[in-house]
Amino acid sequence: MKIAVVGATGLVGGEILKVLEERNFPVTELLAVASERSVGKEVTFKGKQVKVIGFEEAIAVRPEIAIFSAGGSTSLALAPKFAEAGITVVDNSSAWRMDATKKLVVPEINASELTREDKIIANPNCSTIQMVVVLNPLHQKYKIKRVVVSTYQSVTGTGKAAVDQLFAERSGDHSKDKVYPHQIDLNVLPHIDVFLDNGYTKEEMKMTNETKKIMSDDSIAVTATTVRIPTIGGHSEAVNIEFENEFDLDEVRQILSSTEGVVLQDDPKNAVYPMPLTAHGKDETFVGRIRRDESQPKTLNLWIVADNLRKGAATNAVQIAEYLAKHDLVGTPEQVQA
């Protein structure tokens, strides 16, 4: 089928192209789409150069699916135009995530909710995706009451300019334009996205609100502190989970080791635990440091790591597209009839 990648020249857009290729998605024609300033440039897909086209040209070609990674304002302006043309949009920005009329999808959890009528589908926030993949099977078994999460997030979550800032500072060059309000190399910033009136950042509230929506349970209390650190391999999270029901640690490990998309790395005596360095470039979510919270009953501590450009963005979006294709949920009426 025809697939458009909107924002193909960006950091996540490039990763989407790579994931489509690696997972052998059935692409008959790849449309690389970007803003006017990038039209005419080339991206590589399956060893071939593909010329970047503009938004209007992409709509005219009528791809079955358009995977958006071009920012919230672009998604708000253009996703409805693609949808009106019968194109199913999988959007990686925050634009549609909390829209009550749009599905917020992590395929392992709630892809079964998707229908042919869903023409704009939201991809969740990167830090939320990796957390709920681990939380969901435990919630089904023990019922989660409350989650306390602190994140350690890669600069790749901000984009190429942030990576450039990190490596410039590391080389001693502090002349580059700053993406962050402070130096990021040899530093830690408890500041991701903008601060809100309640003292939390938008990133922190995304984790709270998106978790409830994805897991279809408003009773789950979530509080987050999101932190930017000078790494590039992926996001890490220290998660404290209070359950309504008692749990057994061996059973927790068994549940997680048999969960789709989750890899258990929990042998701390031999220094085996998830790290951004070893999660980098992989599609799975890694979990370890599993232990009981000894300060209160029915509470678990664990450590979650995933590559934020992969499962946290590109891979999750491509998995949504795979589900749509497999279950014949895409295409304009004319395409379906043909």
Side-chain angles (χ1 to χ4, degrees):
M1 58 175 59
K2 295 176 187 173
I3 298 290
V5 176
V6 181
T9 57
L11 205 56
V12 175
E15 206 67 31
I16 291 168
L17 295 174
K18 193 186 301 182
V19 173
L20 285 168
E21 182 173 337
E22 288 177 7
R23 294 175 72 92
N24 293 314
F25 191 92
V27 179
T28 55
E29 184 178 352
L30 188 284
L31 307 176
V33 188
S35 62
E36 284 302 316
R37 68 177 179 274
S38 294
V39 169
K41 291 181 179 179
E42 291 185 337
V43 298
T44 303
F45 182 68
K46 292 190 173 181
K48 296 180 180 177
Q49 296 303 108
V50 180
K51 276 201 172 179
V52 174
I53 61 174
F55 306 121
E56 297 301 327
E57 185 177 348
I59 293 172
V61 177
R62 292 289 202 279
E64 282 87 353
I65 298 173
I67 303 177
F68 271 56
S69 188
S73 58
T74 299
S75 292
L76 285 171
L78 293 174
K81 293 184 178 181
F82 277 74
E84 285 164 13
I87 303 161
T88 302
V89 172
V90 180
D91 182 52
N92 198 51
S93 79
S94 61
W96 306 100
R97 290 175 187 157
M98 295 313 298
D99 185 321
T101 67
K102 306 294 185 288
K103 307 278 174 62
L104 184 64
V105 175
V106 175
E108 295 91 337
I109 299 173
N110 61 346
S112 61
E113 297 175 7
L114 293 171
T115 69
R116 184 178 285 278
E117 284 65 49
D118 293 309
K119 286 302 179 189
I120 299 178
I121 301 162
N123 208 41
N125 184 44
C126 47
S127 51
T128 305
I129 291 173
Q130 66 186 69
M131 184 172 75
V132 297
V133 166
V134 172
L135 291 184
N136 190 62
L138 300 178
H139 182 54
Q140 301 306 315
K141 180 67 178 178
Y142 308 114
K143 189 159 176 57
I144 294 172
K145 288 175 63 177
R146 182 172 187 254
V147 176
V148 182
V149 54
S150 298
T151 72
Y152 307 74
Q153 293 181 226
S154 162
V155 295
T156 55
T158 314
K160 184 180 181 300
V163 177
D164 291 344
Q165 178 182 337
L166 169 63
F167 283 103
E169 290 171 349
R170 188 151 295 181
S171 70
D173 178 7
H174 293 266
S175 65
K176 280 191 176 295
D177 290 340
K178 302 285 187 192
V179 176
Y180 302 119
H182 304 284
Q183 175 178 319
I184 187 60
D185 187 41
L186 299 175
N187 201 12
V188 167
L189 305 181
H191 178 182
I192 299 180
D193 213 322
V194 298
F195 282 96
L196 304 172
D197 290 342
N198 65 356
Y200 289 83
T201 65
K202 277 183 74 175
E203 183 83 358
E204 290 159 355
M205 295 313 300
K206 285 174 191 174
M207 295 194 75
T208 296
N209 297 326
E210 292 179 21
T211 298
K212 296 171 188 279
K213 183 173 179 179
I214 296 162
M215 294 175 63
S216 300
D217 193 337
D218 286 339
S219 73
I220 301 172
V222 181
T223 186
T225 302
T226 57
V227 180
R228 189 73 68 189
I229 65 171
T231 58
I232 61 168
H235 293 347
S236 306
E237 298 171 349
V239 187
N240 179 272
I241 312 161
E242 181 184 357
F243 298 107
E244 283 193 10
N245 302 307
E246 189 52 82
F247 61 88
D248 175 79
L249 283 176
D250 288 337
E251 186 178 48
V252 166
R253 292 186 181 96
Q254 177 57 41
I255 289 169
L256 293 175
S257 65
S258 61
T259 296
E260 181 188 356
V262 173
V263 174
L264 188 69
Q265 293 181 329
D266 191 46
D267 185 11
K269 289 181 181 177
N270 291 303
V272 176
Y273 35 69
M275 298 181 294
L277 197 64
T278 50
H280 184 57
K282 297 183 175 68
D283 288 333
E284 297 83 7
T285 297
F286 300 87
V287 61
R289 293 296 318 278
I290 297 170
R291 63 212 187 274
R292 190 175 289 276
D293 180 346
E294 296 182 347
S295 70
Q296 68 172 12
K298 302 176 187 176
T299 304
L300 181 73
N301 283 309
L302 44 75
W303 176 254
I304 302 169
V305 180
D307 186 326
N308 55 293
L309 295 184
R310 301 282 295 205
K311 183 54 182 171
T315 301
N316 199 76
V318 172
Q319 286 175 316
I320 293 171
E322 287 172 342
Y323 185 92
L324 294 169
K326 181 179 178 181
H327 293 85
D328 193 27
L329 299 177
V330 294
T332 64
E334 294 82 7
Q335 289 167 331
V336 172
Q337 198 171 15

